[in-house]
Amino acid sequence: MNTHIGIKFISMEDIIESDCFNIDEVINVIENVLVDYKAGKVMLPDKISQIFDEKIQDRINCMPATLLNKNVCGVKWVSVFPTNPHRYAVPNVSGIIVLSELEKGFPFAVMDGTFITALRTACMGAIGAKYLARKSSHTYGTIGTGEQAKAHFIVMKHMFPKIDICYVASRTEKSEIEFINIMKEKYPEVKFVSCQGNYDCVAKNADIIVTAVSCQEPLLKGDAIKKGAYYCHVGGWEDEYSVPAKATKIVCDNWEALKHRGSPTIARMYKEGLLKDENIYANLSDIIDNSKPGREDDNEFTYFNSIGLAFIDVAVAYEFYKKVIKNEKGKECVLQSKDVIASFFEGMQYNRK
């Protein structure tokens, strides 16, 4: 039997150098695959999460999915260690994505998943804002100043070019200033305001609010949120129960997947009987395909929670893979060049004689 299994090893640098950072293209991929999933064209097994510290939520997740209409199966292996930036000065998220074809079932790519995760997460928040934020939104507020906070601002600014003020709140003024210095160099037209650790400063002033934090505590307060705001909930428990309770509309990437998770605010409320299925307005795909309207009133406070769905990572990874191949990037690796197993056992049998 002539068995050859070759894969392409694709680094973060290969992805970036292949011009994959195209926000409009990524958003288009995500919107399309969300509708595909609703139409039954995607397989999404349960996510497996190994949590090593319940309090700070150190965890490694195994997230499989299959794009049936593209004959691609993939899995994301991603670690989230929230205290990494403070303890070791390294990112809190790292991961890889493995892609396989469905004709023989062979893997064909092993890719960096860290950049894809950061970009996908930010684009999900921006898609939520596209349908749920006021079109006139021009003030932005970030609670959190890490890599995910930077990614969200970049993508949101692309979607809402009118953004001209950004309120920045973090646990330390130093991290706020670092965020501002990096961002104002790229966006000199934006006025960045350091809130000096005052999270209400963000909530009271921002049309678009993002909590891009890795802590597990309710930082955002319902009473502080201005009328007509859009709130993007990124991670776990980062807002008071009063925040979703105040929302006119609560929208998720997938409520059925989200409500069984442990840390997100609305999942906690669901488990405690404080939130019911009927309190969820829609999944994002229902708005994308026009089954339900998005924002209908400038006074609505809209709440969006994206838990992260493996098929979106796989879809984005596959599109990036095609770009990398087109740009002749990545490294060819051979996993198996012949039927090594048969040869090995034949050799053992021969030696025993």
Side-chain angles (χ1 to χ4, degrees):
M1 186 179 296
N2 184 19
T3 303
H4 177 89
I5 303 177
I7 63 168
K8 183 75 79 170
F9 179 81
I10 298 172
S11 68
M12 186 185 298
E13 288 75 11
D14 294 325
I15 291 171
I16 293 171
E17 290 171 6
S18 298
D19 193 29
C20 292
F21 188 69
N22 185 309
I23 294 170
D24 293 326
E25 288 182 1
V26 173
I27 285 175
N28 185 59
V29 169
I30 293 173
E31 290 194 349
N32 286 338
V33 79
L34 281 168
V35 174
D36 284 346
Y37 173 73
K38 184 178 177 181
K41 299 176 182 178
V42 171
M43 293 177 65
L44 182 65
D46 290 340
K47 167 183 173 181
I48 299 171
S49 186
Q50 299 176 89
I51 301 173
F52 311 113
D53 188 310
E54 289 290 344
K55 182 178 181 181
I56 62 175
Q57 290 288 299
D58 283 350
R59 60 198 184 274
I60 294 179
N61 300 327
C62 178
M63 303 168 63
T66 298
L67 312 177
L68 295 169
N69 56 345
K70 298 185 185 297
N71 292 316
V72 173
C73 178
V75 62
K76 183 169 79 165
W77 182 265
V78 59
S79 68
V80 183
F81 280 59
T83 60
N84 274 1
H86 311 293
R87 295 179 65 187
Y88 307 112
V90 298
N92 65 318
V93 176
S94 63
I96 61 170
I97 295 175
V98 180
L99 300 178
S100 295
E101 46 81 17
L102 298 187
E103 184 179 357
K104 302 182 184 72
F106 288 174
F108 62 86
V110 175
M111 307 175 62
D112 166 72
T114 308
F115 178 76
I116 291 172
T117 298
L119 181 57
R120 181 268 296 161
T121 305
C123 285
M124 283 298 297
I127 294 170
K130 173 182 174 181
Y131 296 99
L132 297 170
R134 293 201 309 256
K135 302 302 181 187
S136 60
S137 296
H138 73 99
T139 57
Y140 183 90
T142 178
I143 295 177
T145 54
E147 299 308 312
Q148 196 55 252
K150 297 182 183 76
H152 270 80
F153 179 78
I154 290 168
V155 176
M156 289 287 193
K157 173 63 174 169
H158 176 82
M159 295 289 287
F160 292 81
K162 292 180 182 178
I163 291 175
D164 56 4
I165 303 175
C166 176
Y167 294 89
V168 183
S170 183
R171 68 181 71 194
T172 67
E173 187 177 357
K174 178 184 177 183
S175 60
E176 293 178 9
I177 298 303
E178 288 175 351
F179 176 94
I180 289 170
N181 288 340
I182 292 170
M183 290 292 109
K184 73 179 181 181
E185 186 173 340
K186 182 174 177 62
Y187 302 100
E189 73 278 14
V190 177
K191 177 183 177 182
F192 291 91
V193 179
S194 172
C195 292
Q196 300 178 331
N198 184 345
Y199 305 122
D200 286 356
C201 169
V202 168
K204 289 177 179 178
N205 292 288
D207 298 323
I208 296 173
I209 304 166
V210 175
T211 49
V213 292
S214 55
C215 65
Q216 294 292 323
E217 57 182 302
L219 304 179
L220 183 65
K221 313 298 182 185
D223 289 343
I225 297 170
K226 68 183 289 188
K227 183 182 293 186
Y230 161 77
Y231 169 48
C232 175
H233 177 116
V234 178
W237 184 30
E238 47 209 53
D239 55 317
E240 286 185 337
Y241 287 4
S242 61
V243 177
K246 182 177 183 176
T248 310
K249 291 173 179 172
I250 300 174
V251 177
C252 308
D253 53 356
N254 186 294
W255 171 237
E256 282 302 313
L258 193 153
K259 70 182 181 181
H260 300 298
R261 302 290 174 86
S263 62
T265 307
I266 57 176
R268 289 171 180 261
M269 293 177 70
Y270 176 78
K271 289 180 177 66
E272 294 176 27
L274 302 174
L275 192 74
K276 300 183 183 300
D277 291 332
E278 54 265 32
N279 298 133
I280 305 302
Y281 174 71
N283 286 329
L284 189 54
S285 58
D286 299 323
I287 299 174
I288 294 171
D289 71 3
N290 295 313
S291 297
K292 288 189 174 183
R295 174 178 284 271
E296 299 174 274
D297 187 321
D298 277 354
N299 291 322
E300 287 182 325
F301 166 47
T302 52
Y303 185 113
F304 177 64
N305 193 169
S306 170
I307 195 63
L309 300 166
F311 66 83
I312 297 177
D313 294 290
V314 172
V316 173
Y318 184 52
E319 292 304 314
F320 284 6
Y321 165 81
K322 290 188 287 187
K323 273 197 164 187
V324 170
I325 296 302
K326 183 178 179 180
N327 284 274
E328 299 181 343
K329 299 288 184 179
K331 181 180 179 182
E332 294 285 350
C333 299
V334 176
L335 292 183
Q336 186 177 337
S337 59
K338 57 182 179 178
D339 197 344
V340 177
I341 296 177
S343 299
F344 175 77
F345 285 116
E346 287 171 7
M348 285 187 64
Q349 185 180 25
Y350 175 80
N351 290 334
R352 286 186 65 184
K353 290 179 179 179

